[in-house]
Amino acid sequence: KFITLEVRGDFAFAELPCGTKLYGYISHPYHKRAFKYVKDTLQDFITEDTFLLSIDVAQRFDSNYAWPKTMNKKKFNVVVECGAYLGHKTIRFCNELLSPKGIIYAYEMMPDNYEILKMNIKANNLQKRIIPIQCGVLDEKKVIEVNGYGRQRNTITDLEKLKNPLGLKVKVFPFSHLINEIKGYDAIDLCFVTINGAEVKALSTIKKCKKVIKQFFIAAPYMTDKKRNLDLCLDILKENKYKIFPVKGKKIEASIES
């Protein structure tokens, strides 16, 4: 449901009944073509230009598919999101999971995504609650080439499905370094990881983290050296004494707490 769904300048814009305001991309040619086939099934105010944003809002703000289901639902003081994209889910974290003085560290490596992430934080007056940081998350500090197809379909690892070079280089940092740079807290309450194949290398640095990460949500749909990233991440978490919760799909929910 939308109160407003329109184009504002170079971006699509939505306002939701809950008061949340979300910017996103104007539909790309692929989505405009798809719109022609499904427009009769959509609400009248969804146009071909706003179709992509309506999908992003449905999938990333409204949907519970990639949302922690089995974990402790108390209010969190610190949430880390690796792969924040445009910030739609980040803002939902802020609305539903954060304590009154809680804070979110939102990492996003793609420059265009990062600019929209900042727009969404400002539009919802969350500058003091969400800290956006432009970088990738891996197992070492370096500048690396990005492959993929733009928006959220990008990777800094060698994935067969995302081989297309974008002609873009980004800074990446070890996961442990980013965690250790967070000041003023002894623990991270939730770490949400959706980084398209980089999750195994990022998680491999967990022993170097000086703070306890109480809970993880990790999307791991890809493979590394013919091994499922899901299994590789599970092995690392089990080695570090995490309890694994049963969830459907190529996702992991885990807690360090008994």
Side-chain angles (χ1 to χ4, degrees):
K1 294 182 179 180
F2 299 94
I3 291 177
T4 303
L5 185 63
E6 62 189 14
V7 173
R8 292 189 177 181
D10 295 329
F11 303 96
F13 171 82
E15 183 174 357
L16 309 183
C18 63
T20 296
K21 301 176 178 66
L22 298 172
Y23 284 93
Y25 291 107
I26 292 173
S27 300
H28 296 179
Y30 167 83
H31 298 94
K32 290 183 178 181
R33 290 194 298 271
F35 174 80
K36 294 177 182 178
Y37 292 100
V38 299
K39 64 180 181 180
D40 291 341
T41 68
L42 302 173
Q43 295 165 296
D44 291 341
F45 55 81
I46 299 177
T47 68
E48 70 170 13
D49 284 335
T50 60
F51 180 49
L52 174 55
L53 178 58
S54 73
I55 293 172
D56 274 343
V57 171
Q59 291 180 342
R60 301 175 190 283
F61 187 85
D62 283 337
S63 173
N64 288 325
Y65 176 74
W67 187 259
K69 297 179 178 64
T70 62
M71 296 189 284
N72 190 341
K73 294 302 193 299
K74 69 179 181 181
K75 295 294 184 178
F76 297 145
N77 291 321
V78 188
V79 173
V80 168
E81 185 181 15
C82 299
Y85 186 42
L86 308 182
H88 296 174
K89 195 177 296 292
T90 320
I91 290 168
R92 184 179 172 188
F93 286 146
C94 198
N95 292 348
E96 297 185 20
L97 296 183
L98 278 195
S99 66
K101 294 184 179 180
I103 194 163
I104 299 174
Y105 290 83
Y107 300 95
E108 172 56 43
M109 70 178 185
M110 299 299 290
D112 291 345
N113 293 348
Y114 179 72
E115 291 305 314
I116 298 176
L117 167 63
K118 291 194 296 182
M119 289 172 61
N120 282 322
I121 294 169
K122 183 177 180 180
N124 292 280
N125 297 312
L126 294 172
Q127 296 95 321
K128 293 183 179 180
R129 311 209 59 199
I130 302 174
I131 298 176
I133 300 166
Q134 187 180 355
C135 71
V137 185
L138 209 58
D139 59 347
E140 59 181 323
K141 179 181 177 180
K142 61 181 177 180
V143 175
I144 192 170
E145 299 236 5
V146 180
N147 289 337
Y149 298 94
R151 294 180 53 241
Q152 86 282 18
R153 296 184 63 205
N154 312 290
T155 187
I156 47 177
T157 60
D158 186 19
L159 295 180
E160 188 63 37
K161 292 183 179 180
L162 298 174
K163 288 284 191 182
N164 182 58
L166 288 177
L168 171 69
K169 292 184 177 181
V170 297
K171 291 181 179 179
V172 301
F173 292 90
F175 173 72
S176 56
H177 170 80
L178 297 175
I179 295 297
N180 294 338
E181 283 294 295
I182 296 173
K183 308 300 183 184
Y185 300 92
D186 295 327
I188 307 301
D189 293 306
L190 171 65
C191 185
F192 193 93
V193 181
T194 53
I195 49 178
N196 288 354
E199 57 275 357
V200 177
K201 288 186 175 181
L203 212 57
S204 71
T205 70
I206 193 171
K207 288 187 183 297
K208 297 179 181 179
C209 293
K210 297 177 183 178
K211 305 179 195 306
V212 174
I213 302 170
K214 294 181 179 179
Q215 302 182 59
F216 274 103
F217 180 102
I218 303 170
Y222 298 103
M223 300 185 73
T224 299
D225 296 329
K226 299 183 179 180
K227 296 180 180 179
R228 296 197 313 165
N229 282 12
L230 183 76
D231 295 329
L232 296 171
C233 288
L234 284 171
D235 288 343
I236 294 170
L237 290 170
K238 290 175 182 177
E239 181 183 342
N240 286 276
K241 310 303 181 184
Y242 279 84
K243 177 182 178 181
I244 309 300
F245 295 95
V247 292
K248 294 181 180 180
K250 296 176 181 178
K251 308 184 294 290
I252 299 169
E253 295 189 26
S255 173
I256 198 70
E257 300 173 337
S258 58

